[in-house]
Structures are given as structure tokens and as C-alpha cells.
Amino acid sequence: MTTMGALAADGVLSYSDGYRTKRGEHGQPGYRILRVADVADGVVSPAGSDYVSRDRVGQIREKLARANDVILTTKGTVGRVAIVPNLEEELVYSPQLCYFRVIDDDRIDRRWLSYWFRSEDFLRQASHRANNTDMAAYINLTDIGSLDLPDVPVEEQRAIAEVLGALDDKIAANRQCESGIDELVRALYVGAVEKSAVPRPFFDVLEVDFGESFKGEHFSEPGHGRPLLRIRDLRTFECQTWTTESRPRETLVLPGDVLVGMDGEFRAKYWLGEPSLLNQRVCRVRGRGVGNALVYELLRAPLTRIERSKTGTTVIHLNKSDLAQATVMLPEGEALATFESRAEPLARLRVAKAQERKTLSRARDALLPLLMSGKVTIQDAGSRSRRSCDGA
């Protein structure tokens, strides 16, 4: 075993936490602050609205993000990991992130390091350190320095990273394909509206199924009863709660159905999980004679308007009355028929790619602990990885 601190002292890698910004240092032009919420499942998605002014670059120094940095969330949600891609904008790390820069890649493979941060070995060590406080889970730089890394030859590190990376590369390709489809369908809708469209009352074009209020005393562990789709599951597409209850007006949501969360933010999403019962605070939207691709596009404008109208409220809620007052821009005639014929197959492909990505993620997550612990050889893992990629 070798500690992270010893590797840093030997010049193998460097690490630190992010920049502690004072409110007076915020401003634009500047560097967008990368926060914990911007890191998920190996992906960096900068979305925050806070920037550190450029005149603070002398203080920020090494805490500016660089391509190929391995980043780890260290507060609140400990253990999200990603490798920073080639950046389209300059970012500065927040204090809740720790970055790792490999200096000697003959000792440490950065991709292997990112996988080690997802391993049971790291999670066990991090859990012991993070729970030494009554506050939110947190590991500091001293904790980071004391982490024990296994002494794995760099050739083996690279082989492990190559096997797991094949799955991650396919996952990334699927995600890029999904994004491209979203943009194409959006462009098709805008083009159809420009040709011929009229505003129509929301409920003349769309129908909404609202989730039922399933009772807590019937909630059960996954695998017992039926999966219950709650609003928090729209982020992961994995139901964490099951129920043994049956209700007369229950709604069964299927993959590809268009859903909207009714609290906090209002966004249309394709459901990518298994068939599940619809719980309260989530609704399903379907078209009256039109497909899900058009439903998805029709929802964008009214949901945005409704959300903006509720700005300033502590917790915003979407109500049936909000939808009853809304209108949607419905293409007509040939413009509608052309959109449907082109967009519906694309929407089905988009859902299929996303479900495939979830399957690949599960395969990677199952393989990772076996590889990192040595329970599966590189040869066996390579075969499994190829079968997963080919099957997906």
C-alpha cells in the first residue's frame, strides 16, 4: 500500500481542494465555479450561475480546472468522480471538490485512479473518515493524504482502465447520440411550427395522468410488490421504493412515456426505467392523436412559462389549473405529418440508446469491484466487456 500523501511527496501526482470564494470576488467576465451538483456518473456538466472574477486569477492559480484532472466530490455527496474533458470554458473548482493531477504516468494511470475512487476499497476508507463529524459527510485534505492506494503495477492499471473504459466510451457515445437526437427533433419541431402552427388549449391536444397518493404503510423494499415511481426517481430512472398497494385509478408508466415532476422544476423527461406505478407529484403526459416526440416538444414552452411565473415562491408546484390556462403551438396539416414521420422513430431510438446506456452502466458497475479486487482476471473482464458492448 502507498498513501496518497506519499505519492504527492514523491512527485507522482498533486492534489488539492477548490477555491474558497468570497462573495465580493464574484463577477463577470470570470471563471464559472464548478460545484458538486455539476459532477455525476463520470460526466462534468457546468451549470451554475456563479463566477469568480478574472482579476482573482493570481489567487486561484492551480485551482483552475485542467483537462484530464481527476475530480472527486468530498462534501455532502462524497465519491462522485469524473475526468475533466477538454473544456469549452474556464472553470474554477469549488471547495467541495478535490482535484488530482497525475505527473508521473509511469506510476499512476489517471483513468485507473478514477476507477479506484469508485471502488469498494476507497468507499470503505472514505466512509470511515467522512463519518467522523456530526455535520454533512466530508473528507478533508488530511483525510485524502492518508488514503491507502494498492500497489498495482502501472501495466495492470492500464489494462483495467482499458476494459472499464471500453464500457465508459460506449456509454459516452450513447449519451452524445441522445443529445444529438434531442437537438435534431427540436430543430424539426421549430421548422414545423414555422411552416404552419396555431396555438391550441393545452388539454385540447394533451391529456395528463396524475400520480396517485400511495400510502406509506404499504411501501416495501425493492423486489417486493411493484416499483413505485416517485419524483426523486426522475433523476436516476431507478425506483427506490416498491409498494404492495393497488389503487383503482393507478397509472402504470412504461419506458418512453413522457413524465413531468410537479415540484421544484418543471421539465419533460422520457421515462427510462422499468414499468412502474405513478406516485403523486409526478404526472404522465400523452398526446391526443400525436406521438411522444411531439408531446415532449409541446411541453417545453408552457412548462417554462409556468415555472417562471412562480419565481419567488419558496417551493413551486405545478397544478392542473396551471395547465388548463396554458396553450401549445401545434403544427398543422403536412407540417404535422412530416414532423411525426421523422421525429417519432428518432424519439424511439433516443429512448433505446438511453436504456442501452443504463445497461452498460450496470455492467461496468458490476465489473469494477471484481477487477479492482482481483476476483476477475483482465482476460475474463475483457470478454465480459466485449459481450456487453456487442449486446448493447
Side-chain angles (χ1 to χ4, degrees), residues 332-354:
E332 293 185 300
E334 184 179 345
L336 174 59
T338 300
F339 175 85
E340 290 272 85
S341 65
R342 294 177 178 176
E344 274 304 301
L346 289 172
R348 289 193 291 271
L349 177 61
R350 188 242 190 270
V351 171
K353 285 291 184 182

Side-chain angles (χ1 to χ4, degrees), residues 38 50 143 156 217 241 252 262 288 300 304 308 322 330 363 391:
D38 301 325
D50 291 332
D143 297 327
E156 185 175 344
E217 60 260 32
T241 303
L252 183 66
M262 302 176 68
R288 300 182 187 275
R300 288 180 187 265
T304 298
R308 287 175 179 171
D322 296 322
L330 181 68

Side-chain angles (χ1 to χ4, degrees), residues 72-79 122-140 142-144 146-147:
L72 172 73
T73 61
T74 56
K75 188 171 184 179
T77 303
V78 175
F122 166 74
L123 294 175
R124 174 183 52 78
Q125 294 187 57
S127 176
H128 173 72
R129 291 159 174 79
N131 293 327
N132 286 334
T133 174
D134 293 331
M135 302 175 67
Y138 173 60
I139 53 175
N140 58 35
T142 301
D143 297 327
I144 294 290
S146 68
L147 292 172

Side-chain angles (χ1 to χ4, degrees), residues 193-379:
V193 168
E194 290 175 347
K195 286 183 180 179
S196 176
V198 293
R200 296 279 299 277
F202 188 96
F203 284 112
D204 283 3
V205 181
L206 304 171
E207 59 183 31
V208 180
D209 297 306
F210 296 94
E212 285 285 285
S213 178
F214 286 85
K215 293 181 172 59
E217 60 260 32
H218 298 292
F219 288 0
S220 57
E221 294 297 317
H224 183 57
R226 294 179 293 171
L228 184 61
L229 197 169
R230 306 174 76 182
I231 192 169
R232 64 188 182 188
D233 302 326
L234 292 178
R235 291 185 177 273
T236 63
F237 304 106
E238 299 282 350
C239 294
Q240 302 301 311
T241 303
W242 288 43
T243 182
T244 57
E245 183 181 2
S246 295
R247 298 182 67 87
R249 299 178 60 186
E250 67 186 29
T251 297
L252 183 66
V253 174
L254 301 176
D257 281 351
V258 179
L259 305 179
V260 179
M262 302 176 68
D263 288 346
E265 63 177 22
F266 313 141
R267 303 284 188 277
K269 289 193 174 184
Y270 291 109
W271 177 243
L272 305 177
E274 61 186 313
S276 307
L277 296 171
L278 192 66
N279 196 46
Q280 62 183 346
R281 299 170 61 204
V282 186
C283 63
R284 178 179 67 183
V285 185
R286 293 185 291 182
R288 300 182 187 275
V290 298
N292 281 344
L294 184 55
V295 169
Y296 191 93
E297 294 303 322
L298 290 173
L299 286 170
R300 288 180 187 265
L303 290 179
T304 298
R305 286 195 296 266
I306 293 168
E307 184 175 319
R308 287 175 179 171
S309 72
K310 295 174 181 281
T311 301
T313 307
T314 304
V315 179
I316 61 174
H317 304 279
L318 179 65
N319 304 308
K320 185 176 182 179
S321 59
D322 296 322
L323 300 176
Q325 299 174 45
T327 59
V328 295
M329 290 300 296
L330 181 68
E332 293 185 300
E334 184 179 345
L336 174 59
T338 300
F339 175 85
E340 290 272 85
S341 65
R342 294 177 178 176
E344 274 304 301
L346 289 172
R348 289 193 291 271
L349 177 61
R350 188 242 190 270
V351 171
K353 285 291 184 182
Q355 289 184 301
E356 179 181 273
R357 173 167 52 83
K358 283 168 54 62
T359 299
L360 291 166
S361 294
R362 285 194 291 267
R364 177 204 61 203
D365 293 344
L367 192 56
L368 190 150
L370 299 176
L371 270 175
M372 300 302 282
S373 65
K375 293 179 180 178
V376 168
T377 66
I378 296 296
Q379 290 75 16

Side-chain angles (χ1 to χ4, degrees), residues 47-110:
S49 58
D50 291 332
Y51 289 75
V52 181
S53 176
R54 282 191 176 276
D55 60 14
R56 298 292 172 175
V57 67
Q59 288 83 7
I60 297 171
R61 297 181 183 274
E62 296 299 306
K63 298 177 190 289
L64 284 175
R66 297 182 189 176
N68 295 320
D69 282 354
V70 178
I71 51 177
L72 172 73
T73 61
T74 56
K75 188 171 184 179
T77 303
V78 175
R80 292 182 189 169
V81 189
I83 295 179
V84 177
N86 291 323
L87 299 168
E88 296 181 357
E89 65 174 321
E90 293 179 297
L91 307 172
V92 59
Y93 297 124
S94 73
Q96 293 78 33
L97 294 175
C98 189
Y99 65 87
F100 302 81
R101 290 183 185 139
V102 173
I103 299 169
D104 185 354
D105 54 15
D106 287 332
R107 293 277 302 278
I108 293 287
D109 180 90
R110 64 175 54 84

